[in-house]
Amino acid sequence: TANDRRRTHLMVAMLMMSIGIPMLAAGQDFLRSKRGVNNTYQRGDLNALDYFRLFRYPSTHAYFADWVAFRRSVGGVLLRHFSRASEGFFQFWFAPESNAAATLYNADLSQGTTRLLFALNPTLADVTLELGPAALAGEPWRAVADAERFYHAETKGTAPKVERSISLPALSCMLWVSAGPIG
């Protein structure tokens, strides 16, 4: 269903926005299934990758590929740490009475002037998040991705802008980048 696809996209977005090395299982990008069997040791029929699923789930495969490309890009350098992030590297905002949140990466500018803002709403209700002044300072934010797609030059549609309040639909996420001097 559409909600299952969105949940999968949220899962990969959260995983790929984690600091460190994300762990992806073979076939995860095309929704590999072992049909609920939890111990598939010596079950070649369930362990084999069904590459035909690439044609069934091309948008999910492309979404995973775009996340991998982003992590390898200049913008993704803020996610590739070789030592512990500084105490002020992250800044968080949470929606009241919800699991929805926004995270500012490189809030203390310890890694240069590029910053990332990642907002996530894993709930089934629409949410509005109030951001603090740190998220609004500096160069304008450029939309990078949402729960459906990455924004490339040819991407159609309007990307949400970073404002004091950001609205996130149910089962959604948004990633922005700001590069340049602060204040």
Side-chain angles (χ1 to χ4, degrees), residues 18-29:
S18 299
I19 299 298
I21 301 170
M23 196 62 128
L24 298 173
Q28 193 172 355
D29 58 321

Side-chain angles (χ1 to χ4, degrees), residues 150-171:
F150 270 70
Y151 294 99
H152 302 289
E154 67 278 0
T155 301
K156 306 279 190 257
T158 304
K161 297 194 179 340
V162 174
E163 298 174 336
R164 179 92 172 120
S165 295
I166 56 173
S167 297
L168 294 169
L171 298 175

